[in-house]
Amino acid sequence: MWSAILILFKNNRSALCATVLLLIKRRFKNAGKKEDALRGYLQMLTINPNSYQAANNAGVTLIELKDYQLAEKYLTKAIELNPNSEIPYNNLGIVYLHLQNYSKMENNFNMALKLKNNYVHAINNQVIARIHKDILNSPPPPNKNDRNFRNRH
């Protein structure tokens, strides 16, 4: 199968990458085989180091695998390769949410919205991130064994 794809796209490397990325996603990621999908994305980057989609998809898969440091690396690469896409900025914002780096998180969500005003994923993530940040920064709930605690109904 792979040799047929290579012959078909012999002179068009970007079309080849797009096709292979789609096959990787369908075959592995959608089947829950995230490690296999990651290997495929990383192999695509060795074939075409300028593949924005492979770098972004590797970063997203690494988020799902909870390897936030490495996800940051690949999403930053995706931004370097395509600085006008809102998608890797949004994904990098998610990385910084998990790393609890709220200033970088907000900067990336804002950049995604600057590039695409009504980008629903960034809007939703911004709201979720603010709630998460507020919960972490709020004092703990009162202890019901504390004599100052009053149960109010």
Side-chain angles (χ1 to χ4, degrees):
M1 176 174 99
W2 294 112
S3 58
I5 291 172
L6 290 172
I7 291 168
L8 185 63
F9 295 106
K10 182 179 175 185
N11 296 322
N12 191 341
R13 200 172 230 182
S14 62
L16 168 66
C17 285
T19 302
V20 172
L21 286 169
L22 181 62
L23 291 171
I24 291 169
K25 183 174 181 182
R26 284 188 184 158
R27 175 111 190 240
F28 296 121
K29 193 148 190 259
N30 292 346
K33 298 179 178 180
K34 295 173 185 159
E35 290 86 359
D36 292 329
L38 179 60
R39 274 192 290 281
Y41 298 138
L42 297 178
Q43 285 177 338
M44 283 307 307
L45 284 168
T46 60
I47 295 168
N48 183 359
N50 295 322
S51 175
Y52 145 79
Q53 295 95 339
N56 183 70
N57 290 357
V60 170
T61 304
L62 286 159
I63 291 171
E64 293 169 352
L65 293 170
K66 300 182 183 345
D67 189 342
Y68 305 118
Q69 304 294 335
L70 203 50
E72 178 184 25
K73 173 186 170 185
Y74 283 101
L75 291 168
T76 300
K77 179 178 177 72
I79 290 169
E80 290 168 3
L81 293 170
N82 189 357
N84 296 319
S85 174
E86 70 282 358
I87 296 169
Y89 285 103
N90 179 63
N91 295 334
L92 191 54
I94 294 168
V95 167
Y96 291 128
L97 170 63
H98 288 287
L99 295 174
Q100 297 181 4
N101 188 331
Y102 298 115
S103 63
K104 286 186 176 183
M105 174 199 70
E106 288 174 12
N107 289 342
N108 279 278
F109 288 148
N110 288 337
M111 189 62 184
L113 289 169
K114 181 179 177 185
L115 291 169
K116 187 174 181 184
N117 233 0
N118 296 323
Y119 186 49
V120 175
H121 296 295
I123 293 168
N124 291 341
N125 288 334
Q126 227 174 16
V127 170
I128 291 166
R130 284 185 188 138
I131 292 168
H132 182 77
K133 182 179 170 185
D134 289 345
I135 289 170
L136 286 178
N137 291 329
S138 65
N143 182 341
K144 62 181 173 184
N145 295 325
D146 185 348
R147 77 179 110 138
N148 295 323
F149 176 76
R150 291 189 176 86
N151 195 358
R152 298 182 184 156
H153 295 282

